Amino acid sequence: MKTAVAFVGVLATLAASADAYAFVPRHHGLTSVPKSTSSLSMKVHDWKRREADESAINDLDNFEFRVDNLKPAPGSRPSKKRKGRGISAGQGATCGFGMRGQKARSGRSVRPGFEGGQNPLYRRLPKFVGKPLGPGHIRKEYNLIKLDELNGAAPGSTVNFDSLFEAGAITKSKVPYHKVVVGRGEFTAKDITVQAHAFTKSARAAIEGAGGKCEILKASTGAVVEA
């Protein structure tokens, strides 16, 4: 018993003589942590690049880049993230999608362009004004008559869609407007008058070069409006 009392007394004496605040981390008596003297200034995560041997690639005078020796730099292509394989990587049970909510469900969460109900960007921007060929507009479509289909016409005759259809040179048309184009065959008819709703420049030049004449028909009545 006396030994225990004497031991407690010794401890009390040591505590009184020592600095009571020596254990505080900010005490002036503590020495600072020594700084690193290493000259390494690379990133921590580029260890694969530091350990790779790229001496052959850096020798530009003797190394030739080919398709068979091209490869990404070491460490630049990380492996695919494995989700749903445990909680250690933070992509475990919920795979990074949280507990519940619209964005945690399977399939597409929101449609493209949806901004939560506010006026989206594609509606805030003005529409592009150009040729009226989009939805809601009408584009005139022509039935094409090729020049080689006019070769059976007699010199000095007048040729149009009706006469060609009766002669069996062309088939019936789904549209009431007709346009004369060059085609692939050779044009051999001479001195004929061709009536149509439109002509291409090359077709008109070929007909007039062979001594013929081109007449434009009115779309509503079919009368000749321009020769």
Side-chain angles (χ1 to χ4, degrees), residues 172-186:
K172 61 182 180 179
S173 173
K174 295 183 179 180
V175 292
Y177 310 111
H178 312 287
K179 185 176 184 178
V180 180
V181 297
V182 173
R184 297 183 179 179
E186 184 181 359

PDB file of all heavy atoms in Angstrom, residues 172-186:
ATOM      1  N   LYS A 172     -47.964   5.973-118.183  1.00  0.00           N
ATOM      2  CA  LYS A 172     -48.823   6.973-117.557  1.00  0.00           C
ATOM      3  C   LYS A 172     -48.089   7.663-116.401  1.00  0.00           C
ATOM      4  O   LYS A 172     -47.120   7.136-115.840  1.00  0.00           O
ATOM      5  CB  LYS A 172     -50.099   6.321-117.045  1.00  0.00           C
ATOM      6  CG  LYS A 172     -49.887   5.251-115.988  1.00  0.00           C
ATOM      7  CD  LYS A 172     -51.226   4.642-115.582  1.00  0.00           C
ATOM      8  CE  LYS A 172     -51.030   3.553-114.522  1.00  0.00           C
ATOM      9  NZ  LYS A 172     -52.328   2.970-114.114  1.00  0.00           N
ATOM     10  N   SER A 173     -48.565   8.841-116.064  1.00  0.00           N
ATOM     11  CA  SER A 173     -47.924   9.668-115.045  1.00  0.00           C
ATOM     12  C   SER A 173     -48.828   9.813-113.834  1.00  0.00           C
ATOM     13  O   SER A 173     -50.067   9.869-113.959  1.00  0.00           O
ATOM     14  CB  SER A 173     -47.596  11.058-115.613  1.00  0.00           C
ATOM     15  OG  SER A 173     -47.128  11.919-114.597  1.00  0.00           O
ATOM     16  N   LYS A 174     -48.211   9.904-112.633  1.00  0.00           N
ATOM     17  CA  LYS A 174     -48.961  10.117-111.402  1.00  0.00           C
ATOM     18  C   LYS A 174     -49.183  11.595-111.102  1.00  0.00           C
ATOM     19  O   LYS A 174     -49.996  11.936-110.252  1.00  0.00           O
ATOM     20  CB  LYS A 174     -48.215   9.465-110.232  1.00  0.00           C
ATOM     21  CG  LYS A 174     -48.128   7.963-110.325  1.00  0.00           C
ATOM     22  CD  LYS A 174     -47.430   7.380-109.095  1.00  0.00           C
ATOM     23  CE  LYS A 174     -47.362   5.867-109.173  1.00  0.00           C
ATOM     24  NZ  LYS A 174     -46.681   5.278-107.990  1.00  0.00           N
ATOM     25  N   VAL A 175     -48.431  12.467-111.763  1.00  0.00           N
ATOM     26  CA  VAL A 175     -48.551  13.907-111.535  1.00  0.00           C
ATOM     27  C   VAL A 175     -48.943  14.579-112.846  1.00  0.00           C
ATOM     28  O   VAL A 175     -48.590  14.103-113.939  1.00  0.00           O
ATOM     29  CB  VAL A 175     -47.232  14.496-110.999  1.00  0.00           C
ATOM     30  CG1 VAL A 175     -46.958  13.994-109.597  1.00  0.00           C
ATOM     31  CG2 VAL A 175     -46.071  14.173-111.911  1.00  0.00           C
ATOM     32  N   PRO A 176     -49.663  15.705-112.796  1.00  0.00           N
ATOM     33  CA  PRO A 176     -50.144  16.344-114.035  1.00  0.00           C
ATOM     34  C   PRO A 176     -49.147  17.285-114.685  1.00  0.00           C
ATOM     35  O   PRO A 176     -49.463  17.912-115.694  1.00  0.00           O
ATOM     36  CB  PRO A 176     -51.381  17.116-113.558  1.00  0.00           C
ATOM     37  CG  PRO A 176     -51.074  17.463-112.142  1.00  0.00           C
ATOM     38  CD  PRO A 176     -50.267  16.321-111.593  1.00  0.00           C
ATOM     39  N   TYR A 177     -47.954  17.432-114.110  1.00  0.00           N
ATOM     40  CA  TYR A 177     -46.962  18.355-114.657  1.00  0.00           C
ATOM     41  C   TYR A 177     -45.803  17.555-115.247  1.00  0.00           C
ATOM     42  O   TYR A 177     -45.357  16.568-114.666  1.00  0.00           O
ATOM     43  CB  TYR A 177     -46.444  19.297-113.573  1.00  0.00           C
ATOM     44  CG  TYR A 177     -47.549  19.957-112.792  1.00  0.00           C
ATOM     45  CD1 TYR A 177     -47.764  19.629-111.464  1.00  0.00           C
ATOM     46  CD2 TYR A 177     -48.391  20.898-113.379  1.00  0.00           C
ATOM     47  CE1 TYR A 177     -48.786  20.217-110.739  1.00  0.00           C
ATOM     48  CE2 TYR A 177     -49.419  21.489-112.667  1.00  0.00           C
ATOM     49  CZ  TYR A 177     -49.613  21.147-111.348  1.00  0.00           C
ATOM     50  OH  TYR A 177     -50.639  21.721-110.644  1.00  0.00           O
ATOM     51  N   HIS A 178     -45.317  18.022-116.400  1.00  0.00           N
ATOM     52  CA  HIS A 178     -44.315  17.268-117.138  1.00  0.00           C
ATOM     53  C   HIS A 178     -43.113  18.161-117.431  1.00  0.00           C
ATOM     54  O   HIS A 178     -43.255  19.353-117.751  1.00  0.00           O
ATOM     55  CB  HIS A 178     -44.897  16.743-118.460  1.00  0.00           C
ATOM     56  CG  HIS A 178     -46.234  16.072-118.286  1.00  0.00           C
ATOM     57  ND1 HIS A 178     -46.373  14.832-117.715  1.00  0.00           N
ATOM     58  CD2 HIS A 178     -47.492  16.506-118.589  1.00  0.00           C
ATOM     59  CE1 HIS A 178     -47.659  14.504-117.683  1.00  0.00           C
ATOM     60  NE2 HIS A 178     -48.361  15.511-118.205  1.00  0.00           N
ATOM     61  N   LYS A 179     -41.915  17.559-117.340  1.00  0.00           N
ATOM     62  CA  LYS A 179     -40.669  18.280-117.536  1.00  0.00           C
ATOM     63  C   LYS A 179     -39.778  17.467-118.463  1.00  0.00           C
ATOM     64  O   LYS A 179     -39.628  16.257-118.276  1.00  0.00           O
ATOM     65  CB  LYS A 179     -39.975  18.507-116.199  1.00  0.00           C
ATOM     66  CG  LYS A 179     -38.721  19.356-116.272  1.00  0.00           C
ATOM     67  CD  LYS A 179     -38.173  19.606-114.871  1.00  0.00           C
ATOM     68  CE  LYS A 179     -36.982  20.522-114.884  1.00  0.00           C
ATOM     69  NZ  LYS A 179     -36.481  20.805-113.512  1.00  0.00           N
ATOM     70  N   VAL A 180     -39.198  18.124-119.441  1.00  0.00           N
ATOM     71  CA  VAL A 180     -38.339  17.458-120.418  1.00  0.00           C
ATOM     72  C   VAL A 180     -36.894  17.567-119.944  1.00  0.00           C
ATOM     73  O   VAL A 180     -36.401  18.668-119.655  1.00  0.00           O
ATOM     74  CB  VAL A 180     -38.495  18.084-121.808  1.00  0.00           C
ATOM     75  CG1 VAL A 180     -37.581  17.380-122.816  1.00  0.00           C
ATOM     76  CG2 VAL A 180     -39.945  17.999-122.263  1.00  0.00           C
ATOM     77  N   VAL A 181     -36.243  16.406-119.854  1.00  0.00           N
ATOM     78  CA  VAL A 181     -34.854  16.346-119.416  1.00  0.00           C
ATOM     79  C   VAL A 181     -34.045  15.625-120.488  1.00  0.00           C
ATOM     80  O   VAL A 181     -34.594  15.075-121.455  1.00  0.00           O
ATOM     81  CB  VAL A 181     -34.725  15.621-118.060  1.00  0.00           C
ATOM     82  CG1 VAL A 181     -35.459  16.390-116.966  1.00  0.00           C
ATOM     83  CG2 VAL A 181     -35.248  14.194-118.161  1.00  0.00           C
ATOM     84  N   VAL A 182     -32.716  15.596-120.309  1.00  0.00           N
ATOM     85  CA  VAL A 182     -31.847  15.030-121.337  1.00  0.00           C
ATOM     86  C   VAL A 182     -31.959  13.519-121.392  1.00  0.00           C
ATOM     87  O   VAL A 182     -32.186  12.930-122.449  1.00  0.00           O
ATOM     88  CB  VAL A 182     -30.383  15.458-121.084  1.00  0.00           C
ATOM     89  CG1 VAL A 182     -29.443  14.739-122.048  1.00  0.00           C
ATOM     90  CG2 VAL A 182     -30.253  16.959-121.250  1.00  0.00           C
ATOM     91  N   GLY A 183     -31.797  12.834-120.267  1.00  0.00           N
ATOM     92  CA  GLY A 183     -31.814  11.387-120.278  1.00  0.00           C
ATOM     93  C   GLY A 183     -30.461  10.806-120.653  1.00  0.00           C
ATOM     94  O   GLY A 183     -29.450  11.517-120.756  1.00  0.00           O
ATOM     95  N   ARG A 184     -30.425   9.497-120.883  1.00  0.00           N
ATOM     96  CA  ARG A 184     -29.174   8.806-121.188  1.00  0.00           C
ATOM     97  C   ARG A 184     -29.026   8.467-122.665  1.00  0.00           C
ATOM     98  O   ARG A 184     -27.914   8.291-123.147  1.00  0.00           O
ATOM     99  CB  ARG A 184     -29.070   7.525-120.358  1.00  0.00           C
ATOM    100  CG  ARG A 184     -29.021   7.760-118.862  1.00  0.00           C
ATOM    101  CD  ARG A 184     -28.854   6.461-118.105  1.00  0.00           C
ATOM    102  NE  ARG A 184     -28.775   6.675-116.664  1.00  0.00           N
ATOM    103  CZ  ARG A 184     -28.641   5.705-115.760  1.00  0.00           C
ATOM    104  NH1 ARG A 184     -28.575   4.439-116.173  1.00  0.00           N
ATOM    105  NH2 ARG A 184     -28.578   6.001-114.479  1.00  0.00           N
ATOM    106  N   GLY A 185     -30.147   8.334-123.368  1.00  0.00           N
ATOM    107  CA  GLY A 185     -30.071   7.971-124.776  1.00  0.00           C
ATOM    108  C   GLY A 185     -29.733   9.164-125.663  1.00  0.00           C
ATOM    109  O   GLY A 185     -29.737  10.326-125.239  1.00  0.00           O
ATOM    110  N   GLU A 186     -29.449   8.873-126.935  1.00  0.00           N
ATOM    111  CA  GLU A 186     -29.102   9.914-127.904  1.00  0.00           C
ATOM    112  C   GLU A 186     -30.369  10.503-128.512  1.00  0.00           C
ATOM    113  O   GLU A 186     -31.308   9.791-128.854  1.00  0.00           O
ATOM    114  CB  GLU A 186     -28.210   9.328-128.993  1.00  0.00           C
ATOM    115  CG  GLU A 186     -27.722  10.359-130.001  1.00  0.00           C
ATOM    116  CD  GLU A 186     -26.850   9.744-131.078  1.00  0.00           C
ATOM    117  OE1 GLU A 186     -26.623   8.499-131.000  1.00  0.00           O
ATOM    118  OE2 GLU A 186     -26.418  10.476-131.988  1.00  0.00           O
TER     119      GLU A 186
END
